[in-house]
Amino acid sequence: MTRYATPKLGAYVVLTALGLLASLIFARPELALIAVPFAVLLAVGLAYARKPDVRVHLELDRERVLEGDEITLEVELDARDSVARLELLLEIPRGLELVSGRNPVALRLEVGEERLLELRFRCARWGAYRLGDVHLRARDAAGLLAWDQTLARAETLRVYPRPEELRELVAPRETQLFTGNRVSRQKGEGLEFADLRPFAPGDRIRRINWRASARRGDLWVNEFHAERNADVILFLDSFADARRGGTGTLDQAIRAAASLSERYLIDKDRVGLVNFGGVLNWLRPGTEMLQRYRIVEALLNTEITLSYAWKEIDVLPRGTLPAKALVLALTPLLDDRTVSALLDLRARGFDLVVIEVSPLPVAEPAPGPSGELAFRLWKLLREGRRAEYERAGRIPPPRTRARLGLGVAAVATVAGVAVYGAFEADRVSLLVLALGAGSVALLVFGLAVPSPPALVGSLVGIAASWSLSAWTRGSGAPGGTILAAAGIFVAAELAYWSLEQASVPDEPELLARRAAGLALRAAGALALVSFALAALGLRAGGGLLLEAVGAAAAVALLALVLLLARAGHETAER
């Protein structure tokens, strides 16, 4: 895992340093009191922070599904050490839609705890998907340090196109020698009547046509058309793809190829595939269910690859295009290389059928008269290409409620401190109120964007507002400083907690635990500020005691900076 400091750590260091140094410079004890909770949280949080240890295992209930089906992915977590907050994000490829479960998710794990998360997806689009890249982000209890890790737990999911309903198939012009469901022109064993001929030695008795024999006074036998299969080659053009939104010509061509291959294989024909594009792929003709899976697997891996190389039919190996094969070409007629290759096939005598996957539904003319003119010229060019084929043959045409609530609580706390300081100020109350209102506005901006620097500026502003209010009342630290310091600390905790919800919202159980922890921190802040105030005395408006506190704070701040630098150096070495 890679360890790094969170923005909260940097902000708390800045707030502690500003509070203690400003207290030393301006001889105001309330500034030191405001910085005390932040300094203590930094010291305790960094002292007890440790690297988490979580094991992740993924399991899919099925590896092959059809479009529209739903699958379940189980994520098993095994915590070897306690984790105060663990954020888990599973990369979901496009084409899969989350039906149930939460992704990303934030939760808390105790030592030795095992947690099973179930995510249910709907396969909205065909394709070969790779599930399992899991991103983990763990935070310590104080939220000062974080650890990131990406786990490659690859699970392959293959979503096959759902076959479309085909009313009629294009019948091949020629058949092959193997038995099938096609009525051949040749005579042989079959069911379709072909002709009559005189009886010859070796003919079967059951083939004698007794009615014709009685009329002609001699034995005549029936001849039948042989039942053979055909070779069908699906020629897929993958040079170009016209796309708009979530659909394109390549998607439609692949869906059509999958449906055609299934129907021809059901009719016992041999089906092959030629993927003619930037990357050339092919499958020799085959039969039965195994060939169907081979074709669909090859279609799932089809993609557009940019290539400027001119390719012709001669690049295909011998046997890929058998003689007398029916070639079904699925193309948007956008690339000249495909147009030339198909004309070459037709010139060589192949039974060619061009199925145009029209790009017009996904194409729009550019705005203006010139765009309309260019669009019309492009359509005329397509008509010219169709004419070439017609001469060669015939063409068949997340914000969450938790984040909002935490943000509102932080803003309300800062606003309360600002209003309280304005009421307690002896002079310049409007200036104190204006400074507090500016801090509230800056906090709202920092939570909405979100912007950690804006949060730091807001907290500095509200601390300055309270310090100005206390300055108008003399040199002693007023009793309200206890509540003001604790309120500013709680507002900071709420604000950074709200920022964490922007990426991954907490689970209800984790929310309850963190709320209890925040209550304990608020009580601790009240106790710390009260103790520091009692140690300084209400009239500690400068002098040796305050300077000693400032010097100790400077030494502690230097030690904290050295500790952070050492931690960063250790992380870089790892």
Side-chain angles (χ1 to χ4, degrees):
M1 282 189 169
T2 303
R3 182 176 65 176
Y4 62 93
T6 64
K8 182 179 179 180
L9 175 59
Y12 279 22
V13 169
V14 171
L15 291 172
T16 303
L18 289 178
L20 296 178
L21 294 178
S23 175
L24 182 62
I25 294 172
F26 297 107
R28 299 303 307 175
E30 59 274 359
L31 293 175
L33 296 176
I34 291 175
V36 166
F38 296 98
V40 173
L41 181 65
L42 286 173
V44 175
L46 292 176
Y48 286 94
R50 60 182 181 272
K51 180 181 178 181
D53 187 6
V54 180
R55 309 296 171 88
V56 181
H57 176 69
L58 303 181
E59 185 175 355
L60 275 172
D61 61 343
R62 288 175 293 170
E63 295 182 353
R64 290 179 172 86
V65 293
L66 290 176
E67 275 183 310
D69 291 348
E70 294 186 357
I71 60 167
T72 301
L73 176 67
E74 293 184 350
V75 183
E76 184 179 351
L77 302 176
D78 182 11
R80 305 300 176 88
D81 199 354
S82 62
V83 184
R85 175 183 166 90
L86 177 67
E87 300 174 6
L88 184 145
L89 172 64
L90 176 68
E91 288 189 7
I92 303 177
R94 290 185 178 180
L96 299 182
E97 299 176 355
L98 185 63
V99 177
S100 63
R102 298 185 63 179
N103 184 54
V105 63
L107 41 87
R108 176 187 176 90
L109 297 176
E110 301 294 343
V111 179
E113 180 181 357
E114 295 183 358
R115 187 78 62 90
L116 183 64
L117 306 177
E118 286 192 358
L119 301 177
R120 192 163 186 83
F121 300 96
R122 189 179 74 86
C123 304
R125 183 182 180 274
W126 58 267
Y129 300 106
R130 185 176 178 272
L131 282 168
D133 286 345
V134 181
H135 301 278
L136 299 178
R137 177 181 296 163
R139 300 177 187 268
D140 65 324
L144 303 177
L145 296 177
W147 291 263
D148 276 357
Q149 185 177 13
T150 299
L151 303 176
R153 301 289 187 266
E155 291 287 339
T156 302
L157 173 65
R158 301 189 180 278
V159 182
Y160 296 149
R162 189 171 291 276
E164 302 289 342
E165 181 180 356
L166 301 177
R167 293 190 296 268
E168 187 178 357
L169 292 177
V170 177
R173 187 176 59 186
E174 300 288 344
T175 57
Q176 303 295 334
L177 299 178
F178 300 99
T179 303
N181 294 339
R182 304 284 175 191
V183 178
S184 174
R185 296 181 182 180
Q186 288 78 21
K187 298 174 183 179
E189 296 293 333
L191 299 177
E192 292 289 335
F193 176 78
D195 199 359
L196 289 173
R197 65 170 177 82
F199 180 84
D203 288 336
R204 297 179 181 179
I205 301 298
R206 66 178 183 178
R207 298 186 63 177
I208 297 177
N209 190 322
W210 296 107
R211 289 186 179 181
S213 300
R215 287 196 303 268
R216 301 186 181 186
D218 200 0
L219 292 178
W220 288 75
V221 295
N222 294 326
E223 287 187 315
F224 298 91
H225 288 291
E227 293 183 351
R228 299 286 186 259
N229 70 349
D231 286 344
V232 180
I233 303 299
L234 300 174
F235 191 94
L236 183 63
D237 176 14
S238 59
F239 273 117
D241 179 27
R243 175 172 293 275
R244 183 175 64 183
T247 183
T249 56
L250 183 62
D251 295 341
Q252 298 174 5
I254 290 177
R255 194 180 303 276
S259 302
L260 288 170
S261 64
E262 181 187 21
R263 284 293 304 274
Y264 279 108
L265 287 172
I266 290 176
D267 290 342
K268 298 182 180 180
D269 293 323
R270 297 201 312 162
V271 182
L273 175 67
V274 173
N275 189 344
F276 197 69
V279 176
L280 186 65
N281 295 316
W282 64 87
L283 281 176
R284 296 181 184 274
T287 57
E288 299 182 351
M289 187 64 67
L290 180 60
Q291 182 69 3
R292 178 185 175 188
Y293 280 112
R294 287 174 179 169
I295 292 175
V296 176
E297 292 283 347
L299 291 174
L300 294 183
N301 297 324
T302 301
E303 59 183 9
I304 300 297
T305 302
L306 181 62
S307 173
Y308 295 102
W310 187 269
K311 295 182 180 180
E312 297 181 350
I313 293 300
D314 295 335
V315 299
L316 293 175
R318 182 175 298 178
T320 306
L321 294 173
K324 301 180 181 180
L326 169 64
V327 180
L328 299 177
L330 298 109
T331 172
L333 298 179
L334 293 174
D335 196 281
D336 291 334
R337 289 168 289 188
T338 302
V339 174
S340 175
L342 295 180
L343 290 174
D344 188 9
L345 281 176
R346 182 57 183 163
R348 297 186 184 197
F350 282 96
D351 187 10
L352 176 64
V353 177
V354 178
I355 303 174
E356 180 187 356
V357 185
S358 177
L360 294 179
V362 297
E364 290 184 352
S370 58
E372 292 286 348
L373 179 60
F375 191 68
R376 291 172 57 189
L377 290 175
W378 177 65
K379 290 196 292 184
L380 287 175
L381 177 62
R382 295 185 58 81
E383 292 294 337
R385 286 180 174 174
R386 289 196 191 94
E388 290 185 53
Y389 287 112
E390 288 176 357
R391 287 192 295 269
R394 186 180 176 186
I395 304 179
R399 292 185 179 182
T400 64
R401 288 181 294 178
R403 182 194 175 196
L404 182 61
L406 293 171
V408 170
V411 172
T413 305
V414 172
V417 174
V419 173
Y420 182 51
F423 275 115
E424 291 293 325
D426 291 340
R427 303 183 301 276
V428 295
S429 58
L430 291 179
L431 179 60
V432 173
L433 183 61
L435 186 58
S439 301
V440 172
L442 191 59
L443 178 61
V444 172
F445 172 77
L447 291 173
V449 172
S451 173
L455 297 186
V456 175
S458 171
L459 296 174
V460 171
I462 194 62
S465 171
W466 177 259
S467 179
L468 180 62
S469 173
W471 173 75
T472 63
R473 284 169 281 170
S475 60
T481 302
I482 299 175
L483 295 177
I488 295 174
F489 174 73
V490 170
E493 289 288 298
L494 289 171
Y496 281 97
W497 189 3
S498 176
L499 286 188
E500 292 177 1
Q501 305 304 303
S503 57
V504 183
D506 289 340
E507 290 293 303
E509 177 188 359
L510 183 57
L511 276 174
R513 286 178 174 270
R514 296 190 70 178
L518 180 58
L520 291 177
R521 291 178 191 173
L526 287 171
L528 283 172
V529 176
S530 300
F531 176 77
L533 195 62
L536 293 174
L538 292 177
R539 304 299 299 175
L544 182 61
L545 182 58
L546 185 59
E547 292 182 3
V549 172
V555 173
L557 181 61
L558 180 60
L560 180 61
V561 172
L562 292 176
L563 179 62
L564 292 176
R566 181 180 178 184
H569 180 67
E570 291 177 355
T571 303
E573 288 182 349
R574 292 175 187 171

